[in-house]
Amino acid sequence: MPLADLLGDTAQAAITYLDSARKRRVDAVATCAEIVRRLPERLPEQGEAPREVLHRMIDDFDDGLVTSTGGRFYGWVVGGSHPVAVAADWLTSAWDQLATMPDSSPAAAAAERVSLSWLLDLLGLPSSASAAFVTGAQMANFTGLAAARHAVLSAAGWDVERDGLFGAPRITVLAGRERHITIDGALRYLGLGSGCVTPVDVDDQGRVEPDAFASLLAQVDGPLIVCLGAGNVNTGAFDPFTELIPLARQRDAWVHIDGAFGLWAAASPMCRELTRGAELADSWAVDLHKWLNVPYDSAVVAVRDRQAHAAALGVVANYVASPGDDVVQFHLAPEFSRRARAFPAYATLRSLGRTGVAALVDRCCALAREAAALLDDIPGVTVCNDVVLNQVLVRFADPEATARILAAVRAGGEAFLTASAWQGQPVMRVAVSNWQTTSEDIARMAAAVRQAVQT
Ligand SMILES: Cc1ncc(COP(=O)(O)O)c(C=O)c1O
């Protein structure tokens, strides 16, 4: 079976799918259980021709696909892949590089080095920081907090990499009550336990209250890590970094910022003010698969203290380079063997340029404001956050209506929205983070919500 036929066919199927994304219904038709029933229960004894397998896959899976890559998907915070990112991702698979070290792929290492340096610049982070590609903000938070754990324990005279946590000085973590759950996950993986978090009170947008923060700072002693957020997952709000970080500094705390999607605001001259002071932190997490619109899974962690970063993550083996030999990515990320995630990031950054990334962020924010205005106009619908970024939170007159309205909109196929809870009440969330979304898409979504509210 000629390679050109297999890959050519597959490219054609991918093009057909992506071309249809504007028109397709957004939610899937088939359920997971229905699809499983179509597939062989047991691994076939004899293999099948690759082309046949691919065609069957398309038939079997197509109606179970959620068109999250299209412009009418507003669930969670899922950016649809940019065409240049998809194309570069195809090359990444075809090239199949081991991005572990420059020796295993000079090309992947070069793409990483250049795109990481572009990203630090674009996001207003120190150019001297060390940075690495990881799979998502969960692992970026994990990696930043691993460096934090190293640094605060090392300052207390404890070598956590050698001696682990048994008998170690206790670390306190201060984080807002509305922090993302992946902060707690990272703290669990690091052996600190989510119980090490002292939650800090937040305001009505989910931002850490400086007075509450200062008063807790005065009460804790010992090694301290502070976790702040750039872009609350519900409201899009930013913690007041310029007030909080200098206070944390006085206590020699390590400050980590979860900026999974919100840190992209720094790339836009119009939104940058929201991130003011973020550059004062010690480590940062940002997703590329969200607002840079590259395919899953791609994120970056950056750490101001290169030595703490490498000390926390670096490993030594007699058959690979040692920490310090070069900028070797496996000393900075949890994975050892790694996909060359930098290629799609490099291609997307180069294709959009600085102004293109800013325009993507600005367009999504403008569309979120349009969505808020249209939704707020529907009787019985209230927008309950300040729409400062790309997130819109909507409350319905009757709290029980949220699930019914979401289900009706999804069943209609016009838009895909997800539920959340805000201040103890069920809400609907609209996240705009796709390069394709247009005003017309937003109007279709709002019309679908209006219809669901009125029936
Ligand atoms: C603020 C925030 N932090 C962390 C995450 C986790 O990101 P990922 O799913 O890429 O691990 C998300 C995902 O929505 C998020 O919004």
Side-chain angles (χ1 to χ4, degrees):
M1 154 90 220
L3 184 65
D5 285 354
L6 180 64
L7 296 189
D9 261 24
T10 310
Q12 195 46 59
I15 293 163
T16 304
Y17 175 74
L18 291 175
D19 273 347
S20 74
R22 285 212 61 76
K23 287 177 247 123
R24 269 173 82 101
R25 54 172 286 117
V26 190
D27 202 1
V29 177
T31 64
C32 168
E34 284 164 356
I35 298 169
V36 166
R37 280 198 291 276
R38 293 174 196 160
L39 311 178
E41 194 180 337
R42 294 174 64 82
L43 175 66
E45 286 304 320
Q46 304 300 326
E48 294 167 51
R51 200 173 181 183
E52 200 138 303
V53 173
L54 265 298
H55 281 287
R56 267 178 195 251
M57 268 181 66
I58 294 164
D59 288 347
D60 286 337
F61 293 123
D62 185 76
D63 62 354
L65 298 175
V66 173
T67 317
S68 47
T69 200
R72 286 176 288 121
F73 184 93
Y74 310 101
W76 304 289
V77 189
V78 175
S81 295
H82 203 280
V84 71
V86 175
D89 206 56
W90 288 353
L91 279 179
T92 307
S93 289
W95 289 341
D96 194 18
Q97 299 292 283
L98 173 63
T100 297
M101 51 203 153
D103 245 7
S104 61
S105 176
E112 290 200 343
R113 202 170 293 183
V114 170
S115 44
L116 288 171
S117 142
W118 287 352
L119 279 166
L120 291 177
D121 176 40
L122 195 59
L123 301 176
L125 304 181
S127 59
S128 56
S130 68
F133 278 89
V134 289
T135 52
Q138 170 70 85
M139 291 318 286
N141 284 331
F142 167 84
T143 307
L145 291 171
R149 184 183 67 164
H150 165 88
V152 298
L153 286 181
S154 168
W158 188 266
D159 183 342
V160 67
E161 283 74 35
R162 190 189 60 204
D163 299 327
L165 284 169
F166 295 113
R170 193 177 164 74
I171 297 176
T172 302
V173 176
L174 291 187
R177 288 192 188 281
E178 289 292 341
R179 65 191 175 278
H180 195 268
I181 192 65
T182 52
I183 293 292
D184 297 65
L187 294 170
R188 278 170 30 202
Y189 311 156
L190 288 164
L192 298 173
S194 48
C196 71
V197 177
T198 300
V200 191
D201 286 343
V202 294
D203 67 12
D204 63 347
Q205 299 300 308
R207 291 173 295 220
V208 164
E209 290 271 20
D211 288 347
F213 182 71
S215 117
L216 284 172
L217 266 186
Q219 293 167 40
V220 295
D221 54 16
L224 179 63
I225 298 172
V226 172
C227 294
L228 301 177
N232 175 280
V233 72
N234 281 310
T235 64
F238 291 69
D239 285 330
F241 305 124
T242 50
E243 289 177 75
L244 303 176
I245 297 179
L247 293 174
R249 281 272 168 268
Q250 288 169 14
R251 271 287 281 99
D252 293 328
W254 178 287
V255 180
H256 173 76
I257 294 183
D258 173 3
F261 61 95
L263 213 47
W264 287 103
S268 146
M270 263 164 49
C271 301
R272 188 169 298 147
E273 181 61 18
L274 292 166
T275 66
R276 196 150 65 89
E279 71 285 357
L280 303 172
D282 297 290
S283 53
W284 306 264
V286 65
D287 264 324
L288 276 53
H289 55 223
K290 289 193 167 69
W291 226 344
L292 189 61
N293 287 190
V294 303
Y296 285 100
D297 39 20
S298 181
V300 162
V301 60
V303 179
R304 178 186 299 280
D305 179 345
R306 305 179 72 87
Q307 185 274 331
H309 190 179
L313 274 295
V315 286
V316 177
N318 57 10
Y319 66 103
V320 289
S322 301
D325 286 2
D326 198 351
V327 184
V328 179
Q329 288 287 309
F330 74 83
H331 296 311
L332 304 176
E335 298 89 0
F336 196 70
S337 298
R338 298 176 334 120
R339 177 178 177 79
R341 292 189 180 83
F343 289 132
Y346 172 85
T348 311
L349 288 167
R350 186 155 180 182
S351 165
L352 291 177
R354 194 183 294 276
T355 54
V357 177
L360 172 61
V361 170
D362 291 344
R363 199 165 56 247
C364 291
C365 294
L367 290 168
R369 291 192 295 273
E370 282 181 33
L374 290 171
L375 291 168
D376 211 39
D377 207 36
I378 302 171
V381 175
T382 311
V383 170
C384 51
N385 68 318
D386 297 340
V387 182
V388 294
L389 200 67
N390 62 334
Q391 304 289 108
V392 184
L393 273 194
V394 164
R395 196 165 35 226
F396 297 103
D398 160 15
E400 276 64 56
T402 313
R404 176 180 59 76
I405 292 166
L406 281 171
V409 173
R410 277 172 62 165
E414 276 289 271
F416 192 112
L417 299 150
T418 46
S420 187
W422 187 244
Q423 296 173 334
Q425 296 286 326
V427 287
M428 180 184 91
R429 214 158 59 104
V430 185
V432 189
S433 50
N434 189 309
W435 66 277
Q436 287 199 77
T437 303
T438 61
S439 292
E440 189 201 329
D441 293 326
I442 294 289
R444 282 175 67 175
M445 177 273 292
V449 172
R450 183 184 284 273
Q451 194 183 10
V453 168
Q454 289 168 354
T455 47

